[in-house]
């Protein structure tokens, strides 16, 4: 069994995934960490240098590979569900859970984040 957590950036996928994996005796895999290992640099730097399209291509390959694993809790990146192929792969290869958070909470968690790609449009929408 594979469990995949999806949701907005900052909603707690990695944190919930860590607790869930520990509770179920499964291994946590964070797709963003797998991508960084593959590209050899922080996602933010790759995003700035190569663009979102190139990043999403790699993300798609990583999600496809991870969904073939068994016995993991997969914390996906916040934008992973933007591609229909990722949504389809997650549906086929995992039990998917959507984590929600309020706009105020997301803004509070992300406002000082310097590790993620710039998402000024997301933060602008979250400002109330």
């Amino acid at each position: 069994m594979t469990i995949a957590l999806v949701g907005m950036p900052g909603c707690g996928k990695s944190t919930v995934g860590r607790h869930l994996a520990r509770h179920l005796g499964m291994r946590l895999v964070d797709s963003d960490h797998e991508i960084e290992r593959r590209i050899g640099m922080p996602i933010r730097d790759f995003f700035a240098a190569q663009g979102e399209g190139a990043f999403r291509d790699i993300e798609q390959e990583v999600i496809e590979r991870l969904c073939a694993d068994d016995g993991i809790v997969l914390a996906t990146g916040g934008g992973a569900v933007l591609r229909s192929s990722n949504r389809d792969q997650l549906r086929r290869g995992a039990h998917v859970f959507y984590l929600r958070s309020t706009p105020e909470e997301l803004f509070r968690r992300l406002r000082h984040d310097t590790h993620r790609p710039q998402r000024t449009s997301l933060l602008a929408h979250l400002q109330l």
Side-chain angles (χ1 to χ4, degrees):
M1 170 176 66
T2 295
I3 297 171
L5 304 176
V6 300
M8 293 287 289
C11 74
K13 297 176 296 290
S14 297
T15 301
V16 170
R18 226 179 352 268
H19 293 291
L20 185 60
R22 186 178 321 118
H23 179 74
L24 296 174
M26 299 171 77
R27 182 172 59 102
L28 172 67
V29 180
D30 186 304
S31 65
D32 283 349
H33 293 152
E34 293 295 311
I35 291 167
E36 286 182 337
R37 184 176 16 249
R38 181 172 168 178
I39 62 178
M41 68 175 67
I43 288 173
R44 181 183 179 105
D45 295 347
F46 183 87
F47 213 91
Q50 302 295 321
E52 184 173 1
F55 170 77
R56 297 293 172 203
D57 290 343
I58 293 170
E59 180 180 57
Q60 181 178 337
E61 294 169 9
V62 167
I63 287 174
E64 184 176 340
R65 182 180 54 79
L66 292 173
C67 282
D69 286 353
D70 195 29
I72 66 169
V73 174
L74 172 59
T76 64
V81 296
L82 295 175
R83 281 202 175 173
S84 62
S85 57
N86 288 346
R87 293 190 304 271
D88 293 342
Q89 184 63 47
L90 289 166
R91 266 190 232 113
R92 281 191 306 270
H95 299 279
V96 180
F97 293 89
Y98 174 71
L99 302 184
R100 291 187 331 162
S101 193
T102 65
E104 296 85 359
E105 185 64 19
L106 293 174
F107 179 74
R108 186 186 67 74
R109 291 177 184 172
L110 295 175
R111 69 181 171 199
H112 299 297
D113 189 308
T114 60
H115 293 86
R116 301 171 202 254
Q118 289 289 78
R119 289 186 173 98
T120 37
S121 59
L122 170 65
L123 290 177
H125 285 45
L126 294 177
Q127 291 179 0
L128 300 176

